Amino acid sequence: KAGVTQTPRYLIKTRGQQVTLSCSPISGHRSVSWYQQTPGQGLQFLFEYFSETQRNKGNFPGRFSGRQFSNSRSEMNVSTLELGDSALYLCASSRLPTSPAYYEQYFGPGTRLTVT
Amino acid sequence: AQRVTQPEKLLSVFKGAPVELKCNYSYSGSPELFWYVQYSRQRLQLLLRHISRESIKGFTADLNKGETSFHLKKPFAQEEDSAMYYCALSDPNAGNMLTFGGGTRLMVKP
C-alpha cells in the first residue's frame, strides 16, 4: 500500500510569510502527527490529530497550527515565518491515536522548508 | 518533563564488531521505549519497541528501569547497519506523541 505522502517536498519562503504543508496518511490511518526536525533541536513533536480534532500539542508557539480533514488528510500552517523555522517537517500516520507500542507510526519523507 | 538522551552523536565500528548504542531516559512513570532508524535517503522507520521483546535485524534492546536505559545492541555489526538511530519514548496516556533523543550516527567500516 502507498506510504505517507507529503507535499511539497521542498519550499523556500521569506521571513514574515506564511506556509501550508500537506500530509496524506496511509489509507485507513486516522491519526496524523507532525514533527519538526532541526540540527540543533532534533526531532520535536508539534501536534497530533485524530477525527479532525487536535489530541496533543507540543511546545511550539501559536504561529504553528494544523488541521485535519474528514478524509484524514492533514495540513499544518506556520504564520509569520522566522529564520528559525527552517527545518524538515515530518508527518506520521497511525491507525489510531494510541501509543506507537500498539499501532506503529509510519513517517513520510518530509517537507524541507527554508526561510530566507 | 520527559527526556531522552543519546550521549554519542557518532559511533564508528568495524564490520563484525559488537555494537551498543546508548539511550537514557527520564520519565516519572512506566514509559514505552522505541528505537527508530533512518537509512540514507530513506524515511524514518520503527526498528523495535520494548514491549515486543523482539530481535530485528539482529538488534535487541532491553529496558532497564533501574538505570533508566534502553540501549540497542547487536553482536556483529554489518555494513548495511550504517544509519542514523533514534531512541524515543512515549507516554502511554499521550497518544502518539514521541519524545526523541538526539540520534546516533552508526558507521560500520569494512
Side-chain angles (χ1 to χ4, degrees):
Chain A
K1 56 186 174 182
V4 177
T5 58
Q6 293 186 243
T7 57
R9 293 293 311 279
Y10 302 92
L11 205 49
I12 300 175
K13 289 286 189 179
T14 305
R15 268 182 304 174
Q17 289 185 315
Q18 74 165 14
V19 67
T20 299
L21 312 181
S22 180
C23 171
S24 293
I26 291 171
S27 177
H29 285 194
R30 297 166 59 198
S31 169
V32 174
S33 299
W34 288 89
Y35 292 84
Q36 182 196 63
Q37 185 175 27
T38 60
Q41 299 298 317
L43 277 155
Q44 293 184 286
F45 174 81
L46 280 156
F47 26 65
E48 179 187 10
Y49 285 87
F50 175 75
S51 291
E52 303 175 63
T53 301
Q54 187 180 90
R55 302 264 304 183
N56 286 299
K57 190 177 192 306
N59 190 25
F60 279 82
R63 299 185 298 107
F64 291 81
S65 63
R67 60 176 176 169
Q68 187 181 34
F69 302 94
S70 58
N71 62 358
S72 296
R73 190 177 70 84
S74 176
E75 289 181 347
M76 68 163 281
N77 183 276
V78 187
S79 62
T80 319
L81 283 165
E82 301 177 359
L83 294 179
D85 297 333
S86 293
L88 182 67
Y89 289 88
L90 294 175
C91 164
S93 79
S94 177
R95 191 169 294 278
L96 290 173
T98 55
S99 167
Y102 304 102
Y103 291 99
E104 183 175 342
Q105 273 193 79
Y106 293 84
F107 284 82
T111 293
R112 171 77 59 188
L113 172 64
T114 301
V115 182
T116 63
Chain B
Q2 55 206 44
R3 186 181 183 91
V4 178
T5 303
Q6 294 179 249
E8 304 137 330
K9 288 190 183 299
L10 173 66
L11 184 62
S12 183
V13 301
F14 284 102
K15 176 182 173 182
V19 171
E20 182 178 50
L21 299 167
K22 295 189 186 324
C23 172
N24 290 92
Y25 67 90
S26 62
Y27 179 76
S28 55
S30 295
E32 287 156 353
L33 276 298
F34 310 84
W35 278 98
Y36 282 80
V37 61
Q38 188 166 29
Y39 301 101
S40 179
R41 296 188 179 85
Q42 293 189 29
R43 304 175 183 207
L44 190 63
Q45 58 186 284
L46 178 67
L47 179 62
L48 55 79
R49 56 195 116 179
H50 90 269
I51 64 164
S52 302
R53 295 184 172 274
E54 58 204 340
S55 174
I56 303 293
K57 299 183 179 182
F59 285 99
T60 59
D62 290 317
L63 178 58
N64 185 323
K65 292 186 177 181
E67 296 183 358
T68 60
S69 68
F70 188 56
H71 302 328
L72 184 68
K73 300 177 184 179
K74 184 170 184 177
F76 307 103
Q78 303 298 315
E79 289 182 68
E80 55 265 31
D81 296 329
S82 296
M84 195 73 184
Y85 291 80
Y86 295 93
C87 182
L89 176 156
S90 167
D91 178 337
N93 300 312
N96 277 312
M97 185 175 78
L98 286 165
T99 298
F100 284 92
T104 298
R105 179 167 297 283
L106 174 64
M107 291 179 56
V108 181
K109 297 177 286 188

